[in-house]
Amino acid sequence: MSIRQEVLFKIKSAGLDKISSPKKVSSYFGENTFGPETMRKHISKPAFAAFKNWMAEGKIISLEQANEIADAMKEWAISKGATYYTHWFQPMTGLTAEKHDSFISVVAPGQVIEKFSGSKLIQGEPDASSFPSGGIRATFEARGYTAWDPTSPAFIIESALGKTLCIPTIFISYHGEALDKKLPLLRSDEALNKAAVGLLKLFGHKDVKKVFSTCGPEQEYFLIDKNYYNLRQDLVMTGRTLIGAPSPKGQ
């Protein structure tokens, strides 16, 4: 027997462990988000049509429709294991903030029900001006309100303490001043919408009702062999690196 044959006989087949295929991303993507498609499944057709008109044309929904959406949002969140809800916003601190409330509502001594109304969905007071102050200050002197921003879908966040329904909101003062970083963005977006719609109508597009602007982060980087980098004086002079060092002259 040749050496080659001896080597081949000594080689044993390799055993491979079975690896289960991961779940398709499409099967769980957005499962904790109360987006338009999820809302469509939980509310009536007239309420969903009114909500879509609100998004497209700015026609505000009625309190009855808001109550229906709030109840559907509550039932969906509870079915996912959430027990609390919060108006989630971005104040000027550079962080996010929220005030948590329970779905439980006391109806009689020793009796509670899960309740979430349209008024609580639309507006909240996270600055504690509605809390008892013990006479330290007048409660009306520190009014800040959170208002539901329907352009961003509600979502469920999970922690070690449980699940919470987060409702994206804006944070405004009693007189309408922006107290957060989102309201100026929404106002700028609305200004662009009005200008763009007016311009399109001048060009004959009379059926345009709303223009949406989209934005997102974009980052590109290129890995270049150091020897080639040293041959490119333009790259050497810019001083750009992967961590984003600014170029010397701001180009």
Side-chain angles (χ1 to χ4, degrees):
M1 183 181 297
S2 66
I3 297 177
R4 181 175 181 275
Q5 289 177 323
E6 290 182 6
V7 172
L8 290 175
F9 279 121
K10 291 181 180 180
I11 296 175
K12 296 181 180 179
S13 59
L16 299 176
D17 296 330
K18 182 180 178 181
I19 301 175
S20 301
S21 300
K23 294 174 61 178
K24 292 183 178 179
V25 176
S26 59
S27 65
Y28 60 85
F29 183 82
E31 63 180 7
N32 287 332
T33 301
F34 195 74
E37 290 304 315
T38 304
M39 182 185 295
R40 186 199 299 270
K41 299 175 184 177
H42 290 80
I43 63 177
S44 64
K45 289 184 178 180
F48 185 74
F51 179 81
K52 295 294 288 184
N53 286 335
W54 186 14
M55 296 294 95
E57 304 177 27
K59 296 180 180 179
I60 300 176
I61 60 176
S62 65
L63 180 58
E64 290 75 16
Q65 292 163 340
N67 285 331
E68 183 178 347
I69 294 174
D71 188 66
M73 194 180 293
K74 177 207 68 177
E75 293 297 329
W76 171 81
I78 290 177
S79 69
K80 294 285 186 177
T83 54
Y84 289 83
Y85 71 92
T86 178
H87 276 194
W88 182 74
F89 58 100
Q90 294 84 29
M92 297 296 187
T93 60
L95 304 173
T96 59
E98 61 260 7
K99 172 189 171 185
H100 291 230
D101 289 293
S102 174
F103 287 120
I104 293 176
S105 179
V106 179
V107 294
Q111 296 181 10
V112 297
I113 61 172
E114 284 79 14
K115 185 179 180 181
F116 186 46
S117 65
S119 60
K120 290 185 178 180
L121 167 64
I122 292 174
Q123 181 176 303
E125 291 185 84
D127 68 339
S129 64
S130 59
F131 295 162
S133 63
I136 297 176
R137 62 173 172 82
T139 57
F140 63 84
E141 291 180 353
R143 286 190 177 180
Y145 299 95
T146 49
W148 177 34
D149 173 25
T151 61
S152 298
F155 59 93
I156 292 175
I157 188 171
E158 184 175 0
S159 67
L161 299 177
K163 297 181 179 180
T164 302
L165 172 65
C166 295
I167 303 168
T169 60
I170 58 174
F171 189 36
I172 59 175
S173 71
Y174 178 76
H175 296 288
E177 291 91 351
L179 300 177
D180 67 343
K181 294 188 175 182
K182 192 173 189 181
L183 182 55
L185 175 63
L186 293 176
R187 286 175 173 170
S188 300
D189 195 53
E190 182 60 26
L192 288 173
N193 165 59
K194 290 181 179 180
V197 169
L199 179 63
L200 288 171
K201 288 184 177 180
L202 288 176
F203 283 99
H205 301 282
K206 304 296 183 181
D207 57 338
V208 176
K209 297 178 180 179
K210 191 176 183 65
V211 173
F212 296 92
S213 61
T214 57
C215 65
E218 180 180 351
Q219 178 65 51
E220 296 180 355
Y221 65 89
F222 303 89
L223 298 180
I224 303 175
D225 185 276
K226 190 174 182 180
N227 293 325
Y228 292 121
Y229 166 80
N230 290 329
L231 294 174
R232 290 281 302 273
Q233 290 301 311
D234 55 337
L235 296 180
V236 176
M237 290 298 294
T238 58
R240 293 179 183 270
T241 68
L242 189 60
I243 60 174
S247 55
K249 298 182 179 180
Q251 61 266 48

